[in-house]
Amino acid sequence: MNSFFIYSLTGAGLFVLGLYALIVHAHLLRKILAINVMSSGVFLLLVALARHSGEPAAADPVLQAMVITGIVVAVSATALALVLMLKLHSATGQTQLHDDSGE
Amino acid sequence: MLTDYLALLLLIVGGFFFFAGTVGLLRFPDVYTRLHALTKADNLGLGFIMAGLAIQSGSWLVAGKLLVIWLLVMLAGASVAHLIARRALQRDITPWQR
Amino acid sequence: MALFYGFLLIFLLLNLLAGLWRIMRGPTGADRMLAAQLFGTTTVAMLVVMAQLQEQASLRNVALVIALLAAVTAVAFVRRAWPEKETSADAD
Amino acid sequence: MATLMSVLFDGLLGLGLVWFAWQALSSDNLFRAIVLFVAFGLMLALVWVRLAAPDIALAEAAIGAGVTGALLLAAMARLNVVIHEQATGNNETSSPPRRRPASGLVALLAAGLFIALAYTLYHLPLDTPGLRQAVSEQLANSGVSHPVTAVLLNFRGYDTLLELLVLLLALLGVWSLGQCHSQAEAATGAVLDVLSRLLAPVLVLVASYLLWLGASAPGGAFQAGAVLAAGGILLLLSGWRLPARFTRWPLRLLLAVGPLLFLCLALISLLLEGRLLRYPLAQAGGWILLIEATATLSIGAILVALFMGGNPEPGQPDE
């Protein structure tokens, strides 16, 4: 039970949790949060891998650089998704996607 | 050696104030009293921890940086406490009375 | 000393986790926001202790950034999400 | 830290993280979900520190504390979600979170996926060297001494270039959806005025510090840009607005200067060295600093523009 295993397991848990919430919840803001949690899980897994490979003195900088890029892309995608959601809300008054309302 | 004990003491006191802040956050009866946990207990605890670490680090540069961080946290805490309390009053949340 | 830092870190982390109860409980939005603000302070404390323990000076910069930006979310809350008076009917 | 203690700490932090995420995602109250998500981001910064990734911790701290929370809260406010004062079991205006009928099945499948992932992680061959060796061999030729910055701006510079373009693309998407929503706001009051006036210059200072630090220590363009963006968001929240004469060309120039300069230098390097983004060795440090400085400005400006949530240009350009 080392810190790699703990955190990679946490990352996997976050990913699965986010995936579940993404499918189950209808509200778009919740879906956006769920996608963010999923991406955090993936980042966690990558950084745990970067930390672990080889000796623990230094982490793999390539994976770390990719995660930094990923965090910034994730926040811009979140902002775009939020604006799309607000547009949908002002156009239809709904906060969920249409295919869902007929159930 | 003496500085080690002094640092240890400061860190323990800091930890105690954090604990007090948490108890306050959980146990105080309304939002106005809970503000004290943020502005008083935790900021003081952070100050003690910073002081202990500054002694332990033995470098003026580190001590200065820790001081700046502490001042910034206090500035943010005080401003946020004011903003939240004023807005809570404007929204007619009545303060707790015995 | 390292052992003591470890204890202090775990103690602070437990304090942080206890704050979850206030976020869950509320009752007002202000209480939840306040708890989040406290999280920021505790995180700053943990980061500076870790900086000392792991001898990584750059962690103090992380603490500096969190301290600087601690107010932004709360200001957004007060200015946008928690207006003075409701536009629609409210329960309070 | 003793081994047992570090396992205890890591275990608590990991469990706490999952617990927070679970509470955030299953909360019946949107505002509570957002606050929990912000707290989740703070804990994530601690995890990055534990995983020896201070660069990521810096980025997470700047974006999580300064940008994400404000973005989500502003969006929630525009959905007209009312934050109720009374604690009742179910205190959201719209409805408790509607779940699809098959949620039990989904949970089962998710649990299966988790078990499969955990099994894979447990049996992962972990003695691979990774790319660390390759990076440290070439570090002397990169123009900077911090490996993460070297990867971001030199070895995999195209990642960063394309990422800046992705940011611009996201902004284009937002702008194409309409103008920015202006709403009447209450007066700010003395405290918020003083706070924003005190913090704004400090934020610019810290952003420059992080940018400069990036060459030799954790820091760099993304972190500095996110700090700048947080400053801009704070100013916007304090009632400051971009003067109308700046919303056309000056703003666009600021948004695009980072990607444009990066592209120009990429083309120049193609002409000089015959390879895209291979900088001349002697000038590499200077080029990287130049790219990072402009990228910081652009990243900050783009994130602030994303927060505005629309094109700030008035409908009819006022001559």
Side-chain angles (χ1 to χ4, degrees):
Chain A
M1 208 53 176
N2 53 15
S3 68
F4 162 74
F5 194 61
I6 293 175
Y7 286 124
S8 56
L9 213 59
T10 307
L14 289 178
F15 180 82
V16 170
L17 204 63
L19 186 64
Y20 170 75
L22 177 69
I23 296 172
V24 164
H25 290 301
H27 196 296
L28 285 172
L29 192 53
R30 286 175 205 284
K31 280 187 192 285
I32 293 170
L33 286 181
I35 292 176
N36 270 295
V37 169
M38 275 172 81
S39 68
S40 300
V42 174
F43 296 153
L44 201 53
L45 203 57
L46 280 177
V47 178
L49 275 174
R51 174 93 175 101
H52 192 83
S53 54
E55 77 270 24
D60 190 338
V62 177
L63 286 175
Q64 293 198 5
M66 285 168 86
V67 171
I68 291 177
T69 313
I71 288 177
V72 180
V73 169
V75 78
S76 65
T78 304
L80 178 59
L82 286 172
V83 171
L84 280 170
M85 177 190 74
L86 291 173
K87 210 72 203 169
L88 180 79
H89 180 67
S90 67
T92 66
Q94 284 196 324
T95 52
Q96 38 190 274
L97 291 180
H98 190 64
D99 63 77
D100 196 77
S101 53
E103 283 174 6
Chain B
M1 214 49 220
L2 188 66
T3 55
D4 264 6
Y5 285 119
L6 185 59
L8 201 67
L9 184 72
L10 285 170
L11 289 173
I12 290 175
V13 172
F16 170 75
F17 274 106
F18 267 99
F19 179 65
T22 305
V23 171
L25 182 71
L26 298 186
R27 297 283 302 151
F28 276 151
D30 73 348
V31 64
Y32 303 102
T33 48
R34 279 178 214 129
L35 286 170
H36 293 291
L38 169 67
T39 50
K40 296 198 176 69
D42 271 30
N43 281 346
L44 201 56
L46 187 65
F48 275 112
I49 285 182
M50 294 294 195
L53 290 174
I55 290 176
Q56 194 68 25
S57 73
S59 140
W60 286 104
L61 220 60
V62 171
K65 197 176 221 171
L66 292 176
L67 180 69
V68 169
I69 296 173
W70 185 46
L71 289 177
L72 283 171
V73 169
M74 284 206 296
L75 174 69
S79 313
V80 166
H82 169 87
L83 290 172
I84 288 181
R86 194 180 59 160
R87 187 52 56 85
L89 272 179
Q90 283 166 350
R91 286 174 65 110
D92 304 328
I93 297 175
T94 41
W96 170 80
Q97 279 172 340
R98 190 178 293 281
Chain C
M1 208 64 192
L3 196 70
F4 175 73
Y5 283 142
F7 272 121
L8 188 61
L9 279 175
I10 291 179
F11 177 72
L12 288 174
L13 183 62
L14 287 174
N15 272 301
L16 195 88
L17 294 177
L20 177 71
W21 188 80
R22 182 51 74 195
I23 298 187
M24 298 304 299
R25 189 62 210 286
T28 67
D31 292 295
R32 304 186 208 278
M33 202 62 241
L34 202 57
Q37 191 75 22
L38 273 165
F39 272 45
T41 311
T42 316
T43 312
V44 167
M46 289 173 76
L47 283 170
V48 289
V49 173
M50 282 167 149
Q52 187 86 12
L53 177 65
Q54 305 178 3
E55 290 179 357
Q56 273 186 300
S58 55
L59 299 190
R60 290 193 198 97
N61 291 335
V62 183
L64 178 69
V65 167
I66 292 186
L68 255 179
L69 304 182
V72 176
T73 306
V75 170
F77 162 71
V78 170
R79 298 282 295 164
R80 291 283 163 87
W82 212 42
E84 244 168 274
K85 282 282 170 253
E86 293 306 328
T87 44
S88 56
D90 193 7
D92 63 335
Chain D
M1 212 187 310
T3 328
L4 178 71
M5 223 151 180
S6 75
V7 167
L8 185 63
F9 185 82
D10 291 339
L12 265 177
L13 194 54
L15 278 180
L17 210 57
V18 174
W19 190 32
F20 268 62
W22 170 246
Q23 294 294 347
L25 293 178
S26 67
S27 163
D28 59 350
N29 176 322
L30 267 184
F31 175 65
R32 183 163 71 191
I34 291 172
V35 171
L36 281 167
F37 186 73
V38 170
F40 171 83
L42 281 174
M43 290 184 71
L44 210 51
L46 287 173
V47 173
W48 301 137
V49 169
R50 287 291 300 153
L51 288 170
D55 299 84
I56 305 177
L58 265 178
E60 183 81 47
I63 288 182
V67 182
T68 316
L71 259 178
L72 289 170
L73 284 176
M76 189 197 80
R78 283 179 55 193
L79 282 181
N80 298 320
V81 174
V82 178
I83 302 171
H84 281 240
E85 249 68 88
Q86 297 310 316
T88 50
N90 170 18
N91 49 3
E92 194 183 346
T93 39
S94 50
S95 65
R98 268 190 49 204
R99 300 192 178 197
R100 302 191 181 201
S103 66
L105 182 68
V106 176
L108 212 65
L109 287 175
L113 179 62
F114 177 71
I115 291 168
L117 280 174
Y119 179 82
T120 316
L121 286 172
Y122 190 71
H123 291 280
L124 210 58
L126 285 169
D127 44 0
T128 52
L131 288 165
R132 186 189 315 128
Q133 197 64 38
V135 169
S136 55
E137 271 165 18
Q138 289 294 319
L139 193 57
N141 300 331
S142 69
V144 291
S145 60
H146 183 53
V148 176
T149 308
V151 172
L152 273 175
L153 272 304
N154 196 334
F155 304 148
R156 292 183 67 91
Y158 43 87
D159 272 1
T160 308
L161 174 59
L162 290 176
E163 191 225 353
L164 289 175
L165 295 179
V166 166
L167 279 174
L168 265 186
L169 205 61
L171 183 64
L172 249 136
V174 169
W175 278 14
S176 68
L177 287 170
Q179 284 174 18
C180 91
H181 174 89
S182 63
Q183 60 191 61
E185 282 185 328
T188 48
V191 170
L192 188 53
D193 276 347
V194 170
L195 179 74
S196 56
R197 272 168 209 192
L198 269 178
L199 280 188
V202 182
L203 280 161
V204 174
L205 190 67
V206 170
S208 329
Y209 171 63
L210 289 178
L211 175 65
W212 181 253
L213 218 56
S216 59
F222 294 127
Q223 292 87 345
V227 170
L228 270 191
I233 289 174
L234 185 67
L235 286 178
L236 282 177
L237 288 170
S238 313
W240 176 83
R241 291 291 175 271
L242 193 65
R245 65 201 149 95
F246 291 130
T247 51
R248 248 184 119 68
W249 288 111
L251 177 65
R252 277 149 210 247
L253 187 68
L254 192 62
L255 293 170
V257 65
L260 277 181
L261 187 93
F262 208 158
L263 269 177
C264 288
L265 287 181
L267 289 177
I268 294 173
S269 71
L270 187 63
L271 293 177
L272 284 181
E273 301 276 317
R275 286 270 297 279
L276 196 67
L277 288 169
R278 177 191 279 179
Y279 314 131
L281 194 52
Q283 278 93 42
W287 282 31
I288 287 179
L289 188 62
L290 194 61
I291 292 171
E292 281 205 293
T294 50
T296 300
L297 290 177
S298 287
I299 291 170
I302 291 172
L303 287 176
V304 174
L306 284 172
F307 175 75
M308 286 191 215
N311 192 340
E313 205 175 316
Q316 293 82 24
D318 43 348
E319 246 47 283

